Amino acid sequence: MNSLRHTVLDRLVESQVYRDYERAFGEATGLPLALCVADDWHLTHHGNRHENPLCAYLSTVNKSCAACLQTQHDLNALAREQTRTITCYAGLCETAVPLQVGGRVIGFLRTGEVMAHEPSEMHYRKVLKSLKNIGVDLDLDRVREAYFHTPVMSARRYESVLMLLQIFAQHLSMVAGQIVFQSENDEMPAITRAREFILLRHAENLTLGSVAAAVHMSTFYFCKQFKRTTGLSFTEYLSGVRIQQAREEMLKPHARVSEVAYTVGFQSLTHFNRVFKKLNGESPTVYRARMCERLRRRSLGRGAAPRAGSAASRR
């Protein structure tokens, strides 16, 4: 699985869709973006054209480099199930968005190296103290210059950036899944028909036996081949299709969560809430409130100019 995971990520990095998105993301936000494996022990953004100047300097100091790698390792460990952001010893935000295929994390979209507040003398002294505590020998003039030229992004804007990354991660996960299927399996036509059947009739009371019968396979053989091909059990796959449809339905302003649950095929609101939270990391109510607020903000003025000192205005 490890070799396949590396192969899949290599193909994603080389894909046109990733290269186009990485370039557009950098130009729009001024932040670096990287796609890396879960066990990567290289500095994620080193050499990136949007690399933070402070990080670029610190990467040349061995003890600082080791501390950065440890922060990166800790973040990957935290972001196994959902997007996580941590603040490093130098006061910079770093975020990892997991990419999953068949319930397994195959890698992360990583961005960050940005401050959540304007640089200040008080915070600069704290950063110096942290660096000295790990035994870093510093060129103070270079550190000061780099620190006070670090990109700054408000929490609200950074949250919007991460939402875009999460949407892109979902798309990349689908592409990665296709690569895995192509690498491990020549998908049987019956399994292709089964997936199309599930997508078309997910709102019905589907069972493993009914779908197997629809594609003219025995239940046992269908169950085995479906799991081998998709990496998911029939129940997991059906739940994923229903939750994806639910996310779209909940963007409709007058649809109640309970109505959405039954519309997409769940027979129990409790079961729907449990599955939704498992797959999305938050409850349907929280997800809907967050998305509605995001849409409201967008309608009020999506194109507002960034404040002075933001990452965009510094570039």
Side-chain angles (χ1 to χ4, degrees):
M1 181 63 186
N2 286 338
S3 60
L4 178 58
R5 183 168 62 235
H6 283 264
T7 298
V8 171
L9 289 179
D10 286 344
R11 289 180 61 179
L12 286 178
V13 170
E14 294 170 0
S15 67
Q16 191 63 47
V17 64
Y18 175 77
R19 285 185 291 176
D20 288 346
Y21 189 91
E22 189 273 338
R23 181 174 61 255
F25 180 88
E27 291 174 354
T29 68
L31 300 182
L33 177 65
L35 178 58
C36 58
V37 295
D39 55 353
D40 188 18
W41 279 97
H42 298 85
L43 291 175
T44 302
H45 304 303
H46 187 54
N48 187 290
R49 62 186 179 279
H50 297 294
E51 182 180 14
N52 183 296
L54 180 60
C55 297
Y57 169 62
L58 294 178
S59 67
T60 65
V61 184
N62 287 338
K63 289 185 178 180
S64 175
C65 180
C68 292
L69 287 172
Q70 186 59 53
T71 298
Q72 179 175 304
H73 177 73
D74 293 343
L75 177 58
N76 287 351
L78 288 171
R80 290 285 175 174
E81 296 184 358
Q82 60 183 310
T83 299
R84 296 296 294 267
T85 298
I86 63 175
T87 302
C88 75
Y89 64 91
L92 305 177
C93 295
E94 185 74 17
T95 299
V97 180
L99 265 68
Q100 296 186 349
V101 175
R104 297 180 180 179
V105 175
I106 64 167
F108 298 95
L109 281 172
R110 293 281 305 274
T111 191
E113 297 189 346
V114 63
M115 286 186 185
H117 53 76
E118 294 289 344
S120 67
E121 283 293 335
M122 182 178 70
H123 189 259
Y124 173 65
R125 289 193 294 271
K126 290 181 180 179
V127 171
L128 284 183
K129 184 177 180 180
S130 297
L131 292 170
K132 290 178 180 178
N133 285 341
I134 61 176
V136 177
D137 186 18
L138 301 168
D139 180 336
L140 295 181
D141 290 337
R142 288 188 64 182
V143 172
R144 170 177 283 275
E145 175 70 15
Y147 173 81
F148 282 99
H149 282 83
T150 290
V152 177
M153 187 173 288
S154 68
R156 176 178 172 180
R157 184 165 179 239
Y158 194 57
E159 180 186 359
S160 298
V161 168
L162 297 186
M163 174 56 70
L164 292 176
L165 273 189
Q166 290 172 38
I167 294 171
F168 184 52
Q170 292 176 1
H171 179 69
L172 281 185
S173 292
M174 294 175 59
V175 175
Q178 294 170 2
I179 294 173
V180 171
F181 300 156
Q182 292 168 3
S183 300
E184 292 187 331
N185 311 282
D186 291 326
E187 183 167 299
M188 299 173 62
I191 300 301
T192 301
R193 293 198 306 274
R195 294 196 292 111
E196 293 172 348
F197 183 84
I198 292 169
L199 182 61
L200 180 64
R201 306 177 72 168
H202 64 274
E204 300 177 13
N205 186 24
L206 295 181
T207 64
L208 177 64
S210 66
V211 178
V215 295
H216 309 294
M217 295 175 70
S218 72
T219 300
F220 175 78
Y221 188 60
F222 172 75
C223 180
K224 181 178 178 180
Q225 293 302 319
F226 192 86
K227 178 66 179 287
R228 185 178 72 86
T229 302
T230 66
L232 299 171
S233 70
F234 168 76
T235 300
E236 291 170 336
Y237 188 90
L238 176 59
S239 293
V241 170
R242 286 172 169 169
I243 293 300
Q244 177 59 40
Q245 296 299 316
R247 285 198 293 260
E248 297 178 9
E249 288 293 320
M250 282 194 291
L251 295 181
K252 298 178 180 179
H254 300 299
R256 295 187 299 178
V257 172
S258 59
E259 293 174 342
V260 169
Y262 294 115
T263 297
V264 300
F266 285 91
Q267 302 302 307
S268 162
L269 181 59
T270 300
H271 184 218
F272 170 70
N273 288 334
R274 182 168 61 252
V275 174
F276 192 98
K277 187 170 184 179
K278 179 181 178 181
L279 296 182
N280 291 277
E282 58 188 355
S283 70
T285 303
V286 172
Y287 171 84
R288 184 175 196 173
R290 179 167 58 81
M291 293 303 297
C292 288
E293 175 63 15
R294 201 173 298 279
L295 292 173
R296 186 188 69 82
R297 291 177 181 176
R298 186 180 302 171
S299 66
L300 289 177
R302 181 181 179 185
R307 64 186 178 84
S310 69
S313 63
R314 290 177 177 273
R315 300 253 173 198

